[in-house]
PDB file of all heavy atoms in Angstrom:
ATOM      1  N   VAL A 653      91.268  96.865  97.041  1.00 84.00           N
ATOM      2  CA  VAL A 653      92.362  96.328  96.257  1.00 84.00           C
ATOM      3  C   VAL A 653      93.593  97.176  96.484  1.00 84.00           C
ATOM      4  O   VAL A 653      94.717  96.584  96.613  1.00 84.00           O
ATOM      5  CB  VAL A 653      92.017  96.355  94.740  1.00 84.00           C
ATOM      6  CG1 VAL A 653      93.175  95.892  93.910  1.00 84.00           C
ATOM      7  CG2 VAL A 653      90.799  95.529  94.486  1.00 84.00           C
ATOM      8  N   GLY A 675      85.448  93.037 100.133  1.00 95.00           N
ATOM      9  CA  GLY A 675      85.078  94.180  99.257  1.00 95.00           C
ATOM     10  C   GLY A 675      85.943  94.224  98.009  1.00 95.00           C
ATOM     11  O   GLY A 675      85.486  94.620  96.929  1.00 95.00           O
ATOM     12  N   MET A 676      87.218  93.812  98.140  1.00 95.00           N
ATOM     13  CA  MET A 676      88.148  93.916  96.995  1.00 95.00           C
ATOM     14  C   MET A 676      87.746  92.979  95.881  1.00 95.00           C
ATOM     15  O   MET A 676      88.160  93.248  94.732  1.00 95.00           O
ATOM     16  CB  MET A 676      89.598  93.639  97.516  1.00 95.00           C
ATOM     17  CG  MET A 676      89.821  92.286  98.062  1.00 95.00           C
ATOM     18  SD  MET A 676      91.407  92.141  98.905  1.00 95.00           S
ATOM     19  CE  MET A 676      92.514  92.052  97.526  1.00 95.00           C
ATOM     20  N   ALA A 677      86.981  91.936  96.138  1.00 97.00           N
ATOM     21  CA  ALA A 677      86.639  90.980  95.079  1.00 97.00           C
ATOM     22  C   ALA A 677      85.782  91.612  94.001  1.00 97.00           C
ATOM     23  O   ALA A 677      85.826  91.232  92.834  1.00 97.00           O
ATOM     24  CB  ALA A 677      85.908  89.804  95.680  1.00 97.00           C
ATOM     25  N   TYR A 678      85.007  92.644  94.367  1.00 97.00           N
ATOM     26  CA  TYR A 678      84.074  93.213  93.374  1.00 97.00           C
ATOM     27  C   TYR A 678      84.727  93.982  92.282  1.00 97.00           C
ATOM     28  O   TYR A 678      84.284  94.052  91.129  1.00 97.00           O
ATOM     29  CB  TYR A 678      82.988  94.118  94.146  1.00 97.00           C
ATOM     30  CG  TYR A 678      82.223  93.238  95.093  1.00 97.00           C
ATOM     31  CD1 TYR A 678      82.499  93.232  96.448  1.00 97.00           C
ATOM     32  CD2 TYR A 678      81.260  92.338  94.622  1.00 97.00           C
ATOM     33  CE1 TYR A 678      81.817  92.439  97.358  1.00 97.00           C
ATOM     34  CE2 TYR A 678      80.577  91.520  95.504  1.00 97.00           C
ATOM     35  CZ  TYR A 678      80.871  91.533  96.885  1.00 97.00           C
ATOM     36  OH  TYR A 678      80.215  90.714  97.777  1.00 97.00           O
ATOM     37  N   THR A 679      85.917  94.585  92.585  1.00 96.00           N
ATOM     38  CA  THR A 679      86.690  95.209  91.497  1.00 96.00           C
ATOM     39  C   THR A 679      87.204  94.181  90.521  1.00 96.00           C
ATOM     40  O   THR A 679      87.210  94.379  89.313  1.00 96.00           O
ATOM     41  CB  THR A 679      87.862  96.038  92.065  1.00 96.00           C
ATOM     42  OG1 THR A 679      87.314  96.991  93.015  1.00 96.00           O
ATOM     43  CG2 THR A 679      88.585  96.810  91.005  1.00 96.00           C
ATOM     44  N   PHE A 680      87.580  92.986  91.018  1.00 97.00           N
ATOM     45  CA  PHE A 680      87.957  91.888  90.133  1.00 97.00           C
ATOM     46  C   PHE A 680      86.772  91.424  89.287  1.00 97.00           C
ATOM     47  O   PHE A 680      86.895  91.182  88.106  1.00 97.00           O
ATOM     48  CB  PHE A 680      88.518  90.701  90.964  1.00 97.00           C
ATOM     49  CG  PHE A 680      89.953  90.824  91.266  1.00 97.00           C
ATOM     50  CD1 PHE A 680      90.382  91.512  92.431  1.00 97.00           C
ATOM     51  CD2 PHE A 680      90.966  90.313  90.467  1.00 97.00           C
ATOM     52  CE1 PHE A 680      91.727  91.627  92.773  1.00 97.00           C
ATOM     53  CE2 PHE A 680      92.302  90.437  90.782  1.00 97.00           C
ATOM     54  CZ  PHE A 680      92.710  91.103  91.918  1.00 97.00           C
ATOM     55  N   LEU A 681      85.599  91.291  89.942  1.00 97.00           N
ATOM     56  CA  LEU A 681      84.421  90.874  89.145  1.00 97.00           C
ATOM     57  C   LEU A 681      84.053  91.912  88.130  1.00 97.00           C
ATOM     58  O   LEU A 681      83.672  91.490  86.998  1.00 97.00           O
ATOM     59  CB  LEU A 681      83.229  90.650  90.150  1.00 97.00           C
ATOM     60  CG  LEU A 681      83.408  89.460  91.143  1.00 97.00           C
ATOM     61  CD1 LEU A 681      82.270  89.452  92.156  1.00 97.00           C
ATOM     62  CD2 LEU A 681      83.494  88.118  90.427  1.00 97.00           C
ATOM     63  N   LYS A 682      84.192  93.166  88.452  1.00 97.00           N
ATOM     64  CA  LYS A 682      83.921  94.243  87.431  1.00 97.00           C
ATOM     65  C   LYS A 682      84.904  94.107  86.298  1.00 97.00           C
ATOM     66  O   LYS A 682      84.529  94.275  85.115  1.00 97.00           O
ATOM     67  CB  LYS A 682      84.055  95.594  88.142  1.00 97.00           C
ATOM     68  CG  LYS A 682      83.678  96.795  87.249  1.00 97.00           C
ATOM     69  CD  LYS A 682      82.197  96.956  87.096  1.00 97.00           C
ATOM     70  CE  LYS A 682      81.831  98.210  86.379  1.00 97.00           C
ATOM     71  NZ  LYS A 682      80.407  98.278  86.126  1.00 97.00           N
ATOM     72  N   ALA A 683      86.143  93.774  86.629  1.00 97.00           N
ATOM     73  CA  ALA A 683      87.171  93.595  85.572  1.00 97.00           C
ATOM     74  C   ALA A 683      86.875  92.434  84.666  1.00 97.00           C
ATOM     75  O   ALA A 683      87.270  92.395  83.506  1.00 97.00           O
ATOM     76  CB  ALA A 683      88.550  93.401  86.218  1.00 97.00           C
ATOM     77  N   ILE A 688      78.086  94.702  89.137  1.00 97.00           N
ATOM     78  CA  ILE A 688      78.279  94.476  90.599  1.00 97.00           C
ATOM     79  C   ILE A 688      77.381  95.364  91.462  1.00 97.00           C
ATOM     80  O   ILE A 688      77.623  95.523  92.674  1.00 97.00           O
ATOM     81  CB  ILE A 688      79.792  94.689  91.021  1.00 97.00           C
ATOM     82  CG1 ILE A 688      80.235  96.119  90.678  1.00 97.00           C
ATOM     83  CG2 ILE A 688      80.674  93.656  90.329  1.00 97.00           C
ATOM     84  CD1 ILE A 688      81.573  96.515  91.348  1.00 97.00           C
ATOM     85  N   MET A 692      81.306  97.731  96.542  1.00 95.00           N
ATOM     86  CA  MET A 692      82.535  98.501  96.615  1.00 95.00           C
ATOM     87  C   MET A 692      83.381  98.326  95.298  1.00 95.00           C
ATOM     88  O   MET A 692      83.531  97.180  94.846  1.00 95.00           O
ATOM     89  CB  MET A 692      83.366  98.009  97.800  1.00 95.00           C
ATOM     90  CG  MET A 692      84.568  98.801  98.074  1.00 95.00           C
ATOM     91  SD  MET A 692      85.250  98.313  99.679  1.00 95.00           S
ATOM     92  CE  MET A 692      84.341  99.356 100.777  1.00 95.00           C
ATOM     93  N   LEU A 693      83.803  99.431  94.742  1.00 95.00           N
ATOM     94  CA  LEU A 693      84.524  99.364  93.487  1.00 95.00           C
ATOM     95  C   LEU A 693      85.663 100.404  93.533  1.00 95.00           C
ATOM     96  O   LEU A 693      85.455 101.525  93.905  1.00 95.00           O
ATOM     97  CB  LEU A 693      83.580  99.698  92.306  1.00 95.00           C
ATOM     98  CG  LEU A 693      84.239  99.910  90.947  1.00 95.00           C
ATOM     99  CD1 LEU A 693      84.863  98.570  90.455  1.00 95.00           C
ATOM    100  CD2 LEU A 693      83.212 100.395  89.949  1.00 95.00           C
ATOM    101  N   ASP A 694      86.851  99.981  93.087  1.00 94.00           N
ATOM    102  CA  ASP A 694      87.961 100.892  92.889  1.00 94.00           C
ATOM    103  C   ASP A 694      88.193 101.002  91.408  1.00 94.00           C
ATOM    104  O   ASP A 694      88.884 100.227  90.807  1.00 94.00           O
ATOM    105  CB  ASP A 694      89.197 100.349  93.606  1.00 94.00           C
ATOM    106  CG  ASP A 694      90.298 101.404  93.663  1.00 94.00           C
ATOM    107  OD1 ASP A 694      90.277 102.331  92.852  1.00 94.00           O
ATOM    108  OD2 ASP A 694      91.260 101.250  94.496  1.00 94.00           O
ATOM    109  N   LYS A 697      91.513 100.736  89.699  1.00 95.00           N
ATOM    110  CA  LYS A 697      92.292  99.431  89.779  1.00 95.00           C
ATOM    111  C   LYS A 697      91.730  98.305  88.864  1.00 95.00           C
ATOM    112  O   LYS A 697      92.143  97.171  88.973  1.00 95.00           O
ATOM    113  CB  LYS A 697      92.301  98.944  91.256  1.00 95.00           C
ATOM    114  CG  LYS A 697      93.040  99.910  92.185  1.00 95.00           C
ATOM    115  CD  LYS A 697      94.544 100.021  91.857  1.00 95.00           C
ATOM    116  CE  LYS A 697      95.285 101.039  92.700  1.00 95.00           C
ATOM    117  NZ  LYS A 697      95.143 102.386  92.290  1.00 95.00           N
ATOM    118  N   ILE A 698      90.766  98.677  88.020  1.00 97.00           N
ATOM    119  CA  ILE A 698      90.169  97.654  87.168  1.00 97.00           C
ATOM    120  C   ILE A 698      91.227  97.052  86.247  1.00 97.00           C
ATOM    121  O   ILE A 698      91.328  95.855  86.063  1.00 97.00           O
ATOM    122  CB  ILE A 698      88.965  98.233  86.340  1.00 97.00           C
ATOM    123  CG1 ILE A 698      87.819  98.514  87.339  1.00 97.00           C
ATOM    124  CG2 ILE A 698      88.503  97.249  85.233  1.00 97.00           C
ATOM    125  CD1 ILE A 698      86.627  99.215  86.692  1.00 97.00           C
ATOM    126  N   CYS A 701      93.496  94.687  88.037  1.00 97.00           N
ATOM    127  CA  CYS A 701      92.855  93.373  88.248  1.00 97.00           C
ATOM    128  C   CYS A 701      92.919  92.550  87.018  1.00 97.00           C
ATOM    129  O   CYS A 701      93.180  91.294  87.087  1.00 97.00           O
ATOM    130  CB  CYS A 701      91.375  93.554  88.748  1.00 97.00           C
ATOM    131  SG  CYS A 701      91.254  94.304  90.360  1.00 97.00           S
TER     132      CYS A 701
END
Side-chain angles (χ1 to χ4, degrees):
V653 176
M676 62 192 284
Y678 298 102
T679 303
F680 275 89
L681 293 173
K682 186 76 173 175
I688 61 163
M692 187 169 274
L693 172 66
D694 189 339
K697 297 294 176 280
I698 291 174
C701 292

